[in-house]
Amino acid sequence: MKSRISASVIIIALFICFSSQVVTAQSSVRNLANVATASTSARYGSAPSFLNDGLIPSATAGTRTGGSRPPQRLSNQWVQYEWRQPVTASGVSVYWWNSGNTVRLPQAYRIKYWDGNDFVPVRNVSGLGLENNKYNITKFDPVQTTRLRLEADSAERFPGTLPEWQVFQAENTPNHPPIAIAGTDRAVIMGGKTYLSGKTKSVTPVTKTAWRKKSGPGNVVFEKPGELVTVATFASVGDYVLTLTAEEGDLSSTSELSVKVTLPPPPERLDVVYTKRYKIDSPLWSSRAKVMMVNWIPWCISQIERTDLTLGEGGLDNFIEAGKALRGEPHGRHKGYVFSNAWVHQTIESMSIALMIDPQGDREIIAAQEQMKAAMEKWIPLILAAQEPDGYLQTAYTLRDTARWKSRWAPETRGNHEGYVAGYFIESAINHYTLTEGRDKRLYNAAKKLADCWVANIGPGKKEWYDGHQEMEQALVRFGRFVNDIEGNNHGDSYISLAKFLLDSRKDGSEYDQSHVPVQQQYEAVGHAVRAVYNYSAMADIAAETGDVDYLSAVMSLWDNIVNKKYYLTGGIGSGETSEGFGPDYSLGNNAYCESCSTCGLIFFQYKMNLAYHDARYADLYEESMYNALLGSLDTEGKNFYYDNPLNSGQSRYSWHVCPCCVGNIPRTLLMIPTWTYVKGKDGLYVNMYIGSTIKIEKVAGTDVEMIQKTDYPWSGKVSLVVNPAKPSKFTIFVRIPNRTTSMLYTSTPAIKGLKTLSINGKPITPKIVNGYAEISRDWKAGDRIDLELPMEIQTISADERIAADRGRVALRYGPLVYNVEKADQPDIDKYIGTGPLSLEWKKDLLGGVMVINGKWSDGSPLVAIPNYTRNNRNTVRSTGKPERPNPADGSNVWIKKDM
């Protein structure tokens, strides 16, 4: 969704009218920019690759885009090209564009080259024109260099006004070798194939390309080894390196990509444990759940019921007006975004889950639950009245301007979020059904009617379509499984098939919404981070349901790319360099975006991988995201939230947002504790999280099993599990043994994994550990007890050197918790950490009760670190009504300077 408007978004807006036709300034000259790497001084995001993509605006000077943008302070900026080896340049051609007179062009500019020591001006310059909407040619004496820089004076939104910059090669000088780009590293499931899509860049045409195997344990067969686009298959499991060589006459270059060939997952996935009535008995989680139930969800209810909102409007009133429209009554216009139904449906689901939590006599929780029951009874009839006769549901469509939005599921209206809001409605029906134990089927039946409407209109031989924002896909699989479990008639299979069809229809679009290539050929996480992980979560579902090897290969590749190249230590994703999305590999600035909704989506994705692969590492990861990237999105009182979650900000939380898409997603995800804590298979029960609780898991080896956890984890590693099967039964309990090394991006000292102790009914045992689970098989009877202790130590963490933002810094962790230093405890958090010991201290009166890490700064002053989820709760300004700039007196950092 939307939040802060970065300069990268502005630059994208400036370029929306670009032509797909390559236009050259002088067809007779050789353009060295083709083989250069572009960079800029402007702080707007990723590398400005548009400078040398050969595209220019198709808009005329009269076209206006974004004319209401606020003015920007003028500054001196530069763009730069760099070559792998020296080139000789004698001129440039610069295409200036003022975006239909909405942006100023620079007052002047100059060309400089790197002489080995410094950037110096080129000589005998002629040109340097600033004519709009055309190429401006500049010539100068030939210079041999590896870097050429264009410096602009008094530039506004630079380099957005410079869509193309060509560099002319001097006559009778050597060519630069071509550049081969093999593509993204990836995984392949044994028996499948990988889709290769190489690229080349060159000054003159490439004469030959060739794919080859460089290394690997088995034979590799390329279908068309001489073509850039081909497929490869592998004879055996293992790690391979493939090369792409491009030749340009007697010049050549080679690029590599790595392929990991792995075995497929087990043939049968694990089963979901639906969230039903349960009890929480945990110092941390009891407190967090209470503030969500007593403060946050009621606040969302009141905001959604308001009709006078000017920030993030569009709640229950849209359903009321849509109901009027369907009855033929006079009605108002739709309010807010086209997707504003989403947070209404999310809040319905959050209320349903909150009502399944045992209040244990707490009067505040009981009162809040009564308020939720009343809200549900008010809301449900209004929502159902807005559902169209054939089952379709989206108030923005029902209340649309029919001159602009003519029909459902049209290619031109992919951005209208038809599937996004429908998916949230379908998901809300599941937990409402489990809340009422099937006695109230109003939402369940309406969700089936909606899903059936989509099945009747979209699919093979019908309409081919996909939504610009994924959500319907994973909702259809989740609901399809649920319907099959409830009804047992395989009716849900049609929903799962439609989910696959929607995914298969994604092609010929953009990276922003993951439609740039077919999903089976996607190996790198790109674009809008929420859309991406919702997409990958649904792909993981389909891979597990169908066993499709192309889906399995793509899913494993995407998982590996995220976790080992684009993953924050906190378990968040999305650097924000592209619009609310992923940047390049290892580009993980600490001013991260890490939208709360993207963390929810990543948790879903990791959970689906756990179901498919029966491997605890995926639960390690979703635990990490839950504790560090999502739990702290709400403040300790549950009255304010974060839309985005940077690692180095002192910003206070806020009560609402212009795009409140996260407000219901946060509690519905955090409160589904039974689902995250346990999964089940044919052979037994898997314990994935350690949260003091009482939860009944149905149908484990032919019986229901009540699991009672006693623990104050994450403050302690001691956990007690009481196993109460309804009847004595033989099955296996798989107990997760956390491995704190979750990503290749981060190295922890000391490394922590394994068990300290494990006993059954007081008798120590040494269990077999497989895929991160301790396997305990026995005849279980009521009252049997598992006691375990996990190692818990302070860890010092360093990042991969390729993460520029974290070089020369360390972070601290205890158990699953990442820690922060903040100005509330020490005024200067930009100092170096000392070399002395670190210690733990329990502070029951601090931030609801936390374990702090104590140490020393390099100057000998006390260093105090608190869990990341508690950050910025003691700011000078406690909260704001909407996102505001932080007070300089406030600040919180995950990564701390280390004296090298």
Side-chain angles (χ1 to χ4, degrees), residues 247-532:
E247 297 180 6
E248 181 185 349
D250 59 353
L251 300 174
S252 67
S253 70
T254 297
S255 174
E256 297 180 353
L257 66 81
S258 297
V259 181
K260 186 177 185 65
V261 181
T262 65
L263 293 173
E268 293 190 18
R269 62 170 174 82
L270 298 175
D271 286 330
V272 174
V273 170
Y274 296 113
T275 293
K276 297 187 177 181
R277 297 183 184 276
Y278 72 100
K279 182 188 296 183
I280 306 174
D281 178 19
S282 160
L284 188 157
W285 283 95
S286 295
S287 170
R288 300 305 289 153
K290 178 175 179 176
V291 298
M292 281 184 265
M293 289 189 285
V294 171
N295 293 331
W296 185 248
I297 296 174
W299 167 248
C300 292
I301 293 169
S302 66
Q303 288 289 91
I304 287 167
E305 291 185 348
R306 285 177 61 178
T307 60
D308 60 345
L309 280 178
T310 57
L311 180 78
E313 68 272 25
L316 202 60
D317 42 7
N318 283 331
F319 290 93
I320 294 170
E321 298 307 315
K324 292 177 183 177
L326 291 176
R327 293 190 297 270
E329 300 172 5
H331 59 83
R333 299 177 63 182
H334 192 271
K335 292 183 180 179
Y337 290 114
V338 289
F339 50 84
S340 60
N341 292 169
W343 42 93
V344 179
H345 300 320
Q346 292 167 353
T347 303
I348 285 274
E349 186 171 11
S350 297
M351 288 191 282
S352 296
I353 301 168
L355 286 168
M356 288 189 276
I357 300 174
D358 187 341
Q360 301 178 66
D362 188 301
R363 293 183 179 181
E364 290 180 293
I365 295 177
I366 292 170
Q369 288 180 328
E370 289 302 314
Q371 181 185 353
M372 292 180 214
K373 290 176 186 176
M376 295 262 276
E377 286 309 304
K378 175 183 177 181
W379 288 20
I380 289 174
L382 296 173
I383 291 170
L384 297 184
Q387 187 171 30
E388 303 206 1
D390 65 350
Y392 185 91
L393 178 59
Q394 186 188 20
T395 62
Y397 176 82
T398 302
L399 299 172
R400 74 194 184 282
D401 177 352
T402 56
R404 300 178 61 187
W405 189 351
K406 298 184 183 301
S407 63
R408 307 170 182 171
W409 307 302
E412 63 272 15
T413 57
R414 294 194 200 283
N416 287 354
H417 293 66
E418 292 172 81
Y420 177 77
V421 299
Y424 280 130
F425 175 70
I426 287 172
E427 292 198 276
S428 73
I430 296 172
N431 276 313
H432 181 259
Y433 186 100
T434 59
L435 164 67
T436 66
E437 299 176 340
R439 292 187 296 270
D440 183 347
K441 295 185 175 68
R442 287 177 296 171
L443 289 184
Y444 176 78
N445 289 335
K448 284 181 63 179
K449 189 175 181 181
L450 186 155
D452 289 339
C453 170
W454 279 63
V455 168
N457 288 278
I458 301 173
K462 306 167 193 173
K463 187 183 289 287
E464 181 177 320
W465 190 77
Y466 65 86
D467 197 326
H469 197 311
Q470 302 86 324
E471 156 60 12
M472 186 59 156
E473 299 83 356
Q474 66 176 358
L476 284 167
V477 178
R478 182 182 174 194
F479 191 57
R481 290 170 176 168
F482 185 73
V483 169
N484 285 344
D485 287 345
I486 295 300
E487 300 183 7
N489 58 8
N490 297 321
H491 183 73
D493 289 353
S494 63
Y495 306 152
I496 296 170
S497 295
L498 177 57
K500 185 176 187 300
F501 183 83
L502 292 170
L503 290 168
D504 288 344
S505 298
R506 303 190 83 82
K507 54 182 179 291
D508 303 323
S510 71
E511 288 189 348
Y512 175 72
D513 65 1
Q514 300 76 45
S515 62
H516 52 301
V517 295
V519 294
Q520 300 93 325
Q521 300 177 32
Q522 295 186 24
Y523 305 122
E524 180 184 6
V526 296
H528 188 280
V530 182
R531 299 171 198 241

Side-chain angles (χ1 to χ4, degrees), residues 648-686:
N648 64 349
S649 174
Q651 183 183 39
S652 297
R653 292 172 184 81
Y654 28 86
S655 58
W656 208 243
H657 196 278
V658 66
C659 174
C661 59
C662 302
V663 298
N665 216 3
I666 295 166
R668 79 166 185 137
T669 303
L670 288 173
L671 293 178
M672 274 200 291
I673 289 173
T675 297
W676 310 130
T677 302
Y678 300 104
V679 297
K680 58 186 181 179
K682 285 190 173 182
D683 45 1
L685 179 65
Y686 291 71

Side-chain angles (χ1 to χ4, degrees), residues 659-716:
C659 174
C661 59
C662 302
V663 298
N665 216 3
I666 295 166
R668 79 166 185 137
T669 303
L670 288 173
L671 293 178
M672 274 200 291
I673 289 173
T675 297
W676 310 130
T677 302
Y678 300 104
V679 297
K680 58 186 181 179
K682 285 190 173 182
D683 45 1
L685 179 65
Y686 291 71
V687 182
N688 274 347
M689 290 191 70
Y690 300 110
I691 297 175
S693 57
T694 301
I695 297 170
K696 186 172 81 170
I697 299 94
E698 298 171 341
K699 301 177 182 178
V700 178
T703 189
D704 295 345
V705 181
E706 179 190 65
M707 296 291 291
I708 302 174
Q709 285 198 36
K710 297 289 185 180
T711 181
D712 61 356
Y713 183 90
W715 311 124
S716 164

Side-chain angles (χ1 to χ4, degrees), residues 869-887:
Y869 81 86
T870 64
R871 69 196 182 278
N872 295 326
N873 275 281
R874 299 169 292 166
N875 283 359
T876 52
V877 177
R878 182 72 175 78
S879 64
T880 55
K882 61 181 180 179
E884 303 286 358
R885 293 184 181 276
N887 187 316

